[in-house]
Amino acid sequence: MTRMIERWFPCAEVSANSSAGWGSGSTEIGLFPWFAKRPVAQAKAAVICSLLPWPEDQEEQQRLQGLVREAMSGRYGAWQSLHDEIVKANPEGASVLDPFSGRGMIPLEAGRLGLEAHGVDYSPVAVLASTLLTDFPFRDWSHEPRLPFAEESDALYDDRPRLLVDVRATLDEVGRRWTAAMEDYYPRVNGKRPWGYLWAIAIPCQECCNRFPLVGSYALRGASQKRGRKGAPPVIDPGQSFYVEADPTTGTCATVVHEGAPRRTPTLTRARTAEGRTLPGKSAICPFCSHVHPLDVHRRLTDEGRATDMLLVVADHSEDFGKEYREPAHTEFAAVAAAPAALRERRGPSPFLSAVPDERIAPGNNNIIGPSIYGARTYGDFMCDRQTLAFVMLTQVIAEVADELTHQTGVSPDYARALSGYAGAVVARKLRRATRGCALDPKLNKIHDIYANQGSIVFSQDFFEVGIGTGPGSWASLCKSSLSTLANLMADIQGAPVSVSRGSATSLNLRDASITAVVTDPPYDEMLAYADSSDLIYAWLKRALYNTWPELVVTSDEYGCQEKQEEIIVKRVRGEAPNEHRTREHYDTKIAQAFSEMRRAVRDDGLVTIVFGSGDPEVWQRLLTAIEKADLVMTGSWPANTEAGSHQGKANIETTLTMTCRPKAPGRSPGRKGAVEAEIKAEIKRRYPDWERWGLAPADMLMAAAGPAMEVVGRYSEILDAKGEPVDIYTFLPLARAAVQEAMAVEINHQPLETFDARTRFALWWVTLYNRQVRGKSELRWQALAATLDLAAIRDLVPDADKGVRFIASRDFKGKITGDSTVIDIAIALAAASEDGLQAMGQVLAVAQHTADDTFLWAAIQFLADRLPDNDPDSVRFTRVLRNRAGVIGAAESIAASTYEDPQLELIDDNQLRLV
């Protein structure tokens, strides 16, 4: 049976719903911090299209397409009809597996449909995250005994989900106990409980030996004007800043908070040498003696453990300004001073766990774990002593409450796991804004996330500590948003729990041919180091959940962190990492093994659907090689813009592909390259009318062409060239793209595109696809491959722009026009010369030695004038050239005639001299 995803996919609906609303996944990701956000719209579409059939009858095709589009209108759109169609198409039962499940977005969508769904991940943190999202919310907990600290309800009938009510009660109880335990270390001042505290690390000056803090900004709150309440006049907020006042007589520093913008230069700033050369990075400048400590010096001092933490400013709540900053009180300095001794007195929760995480940071992790550059050796070194004490007490309170749930209230072990697990999720979220990497955001009165680009933990010399009160990053605030997320997820919930387990994708605990469809989003090469980036969360969760999630504590990692032996990534390292095994060879071997396991677990008539987000041709080649080694053949490939605008750094993928593969049929025979190429062109030509009818954009067709091309290739055991040598299947991908161009039969002002010279053909095709849009450099490589052109031959036509590439503007054209120039070069040169008048344009045509009325040249100019945006300067220039066509041709002919006449006169004069 042909499945829907092999012939059609709701690309437009996935793209439209991935950026906002139900399909973005923003609600789901709010429950637990994990990496590589996968929009649920894409996950849902991939699941349902992998399970629905693709009938031969066109009316039935349209009916099912309409059902899928309706299903993409909301979280439970067309639920019953969709469920019934999937069950009808799979009478033996429909099951879905994701062996790289992460936070569980893909199995969640199968579970929401009430289908058998399995999620597997190698990271225990990911397993916890996906269990909380995809399993516990779908269970019936009504039989569990009432919690002793649950709130009383006056309602005759309470229709709130039992899980939601008890999670709220558990989080409140944890908060009450933790606040009581930490009250002496976060004292009230003037009856107020502060929101938080600004700290900085302090180093000894290498000139005067006085210790001073490293502060990158003195701004605390920006100036603003707010509307007055209930008709009161506007509130003018001048903002607040501070500076560090150094007293050379005592060798001490103090902070001075004041209204308005900063008055002094911070101690951590750009500096210059005596010769005026700017030093790299930010230098630390001593406020006592102005001695400059370059980046390598103050980084070395910190790495050697010579830095200390210094409390600078306290943030209170303010009715007028939201937050109000002040100098710390004596009682607050005393509370800070008491924290180290209290921290030393804390004992670990078990003989195998210390109170403060002592799990070591692996060597070579400097580019992933920023604090390791600045002296952190373990995951317990990321905070000041008081903040560390607060997390020690918080995790111990959670473990204590979990013990009482299990042994005193009589709840089931699974319910204790659920309730403590959601408390652990809040701890994980709190960690994201609770280390020396969390800087204050003066504009928003919030604190920055420690994950700079989803995969790397940052370090900041000045950092913010949230207290035990309320405000962004506080326990109360995080609990409120977590409960809101859970309530949203459980509203009108339908479906069945997902079976979540920890395991390796290379060794699945499933029977052969037992799964209908594998749908997965595998790791992409070196994009994210999942385990290393989440080891901080893991270290603290072990201490909070050791008694209800004991599997978290068990690890064979030599540093006590998450196991990484079977992790399928390429690890980018900085510095020495002698035992690092996660190399490119490791990735290629393991991903092929994982695909082989998927092939083993899926039924012979089932599919393996892969969500893939790299445009790099080399990565594509390696992926296809792994798919081929697993005895799978790609049969569908569909693009969607799923993550535009997300802040993911290296992980930022704007367009992802949803590809599907089938197990290879047995008994295939070899094929010949020429014949296979002809088959691919014919198949894409056959599919093209459908793509056009469904509104697939030309650029999307290029990606969709990979499916039918690989399906054709998969009909053969191997492809042989004219010499009988095997051909790499990857070589057929550029051909598939070229076949789309051929099938489109693009005309340039009535001239077939293929009749233009190769360089011009490439440029006009690029503008057809992308106009002036910035595209990734990988797309340029793809287009060069499809055009069978050397990249260097067309690189000047699509130069670098905004971290990608873009079609050249005529003002930037540097080419020299000669008699050998191509049509596109002459057209761009004419546009550039149009600013200087007819003679300049005529000179270009004359030098090019083209027929002045060259049909191809003027067709290209007309196309570019029409195709480029109306407000594009080059659209104006090409239009100017067109409007003055007759004058340009006349000027060119005049110049050419003049050029011809001068040599002729010289020749006559020469002959006359000889006669004399």
Side-chain angles (χ1 to χ4, degrees), residues 128-204:
L128 171 62
S130 55
T131 302
L132 298 178
L133 176 64
T134 69
D135 181 0
F136 293 154
F138 293 90
R139 296 200 203 182
D140 177 14
W141 303 103
S142 60
H143 61 282
E144 296 289 341
R146 185 178 178 279
L147 304 188
F149 42 75
E151 62 181 5
E152 295 287 347
S153 175
D154 296 330
L156 293 176
Y157 174 70
D158 189 351
D159 61 351
R160 294 175 300 172
R162 176 64 186 280
L163 178 65
L164 182 63
V165 171
D166 285 351
V167 169
R168 182 188 304 277
T170 302
L171 296 182
D172 286 347
E173 182 65 15
V174 168
R176 281 192 294 271
R177 297 187 190 189
W178 179 59
T179 300
M182 294 303 299
E183 203 142 25
D184 290 343
Y185 303 99
Y186 294 95
R188 295 177 184 268
V189 175
N190 298 324
K192 290 184 176 181
R193 193 184 296 285
W195 165 45
Y197 309 81
L198 181 65
W199 294 73
I201 64 167
I203 60 170

Side-chain angles (χ1 to χ4, degrees), residues 185 187 197 199 309 311 331-340 385-386 465:
Y185 303 99
Y197 309 81
W199 294 73
D309 296 313
L311 176 62
T331 53
E332 288 168 321
F333 281 122
V336 166
D385 285 343
R386 183 171 65 176
E465 174 199 17

Side-chain angles (χ1 to χ4, degrees), residues 163 180 286 409 518 724:
L163 178 65
C286 175
T409 64
V518 174

Side-chain angles (χ1 to χ4, degrees), residues 792-840:
I794 43 85
R795 190 67 176 88
D796 60 321
L797 290 174
V798 191
D800 292 348
D802 298 334
K803 298 183 179 179
V805 294
R806 179 166 48 202
F807 184 66
I808 189 171
S810 64
R811 67 176 182 274
D812 299 325
F813 183 68
K814 300 292 192 298
K816 183 179 179 180
I817 301 301
T818 69
D820 296 325
S821 293
T822 62
V823 164
I824 189 62
D825 293 309
I826 300 168
I828 294 173
L830 280 170
S834 69
E835 302 282 348
D836 300 323
L838 287 176
Q839 281 298 109

Side-chain angles (χ1 to χ4, degrees), residues 420-460:
S420 62
Y422 287 108
V426 181
V427 172
R429 294 184 61 219
K430 188 168 176 56
L431 281 167
R432 293 191 70 156
R433 288 174 171 80
T435 75
R436 290 190 184 92
C438 299
L440 177 69
D441 185 337
K443 292 182 179 179
L444 300 177
N445 280 329
K446 293 184 178 180
I447 41 179
H448 292 294
D449 193 331
I450 61 171
Y451 289 105
N453 57 7
Q454 280 215 37
S456 301
I457 296 177
V458 298
F459 176 87
S460 179

Side-chain angles (χ1 to χ4, degrees), residues 291-303:
H291 181 71
V292 176
H293 302 73
L295 173 63
D296 58 340
V297 173
H298 67 77
R299 180 180 286 176
R300 173 180 57 79
L301 293 172
T302 308
D303 187 47

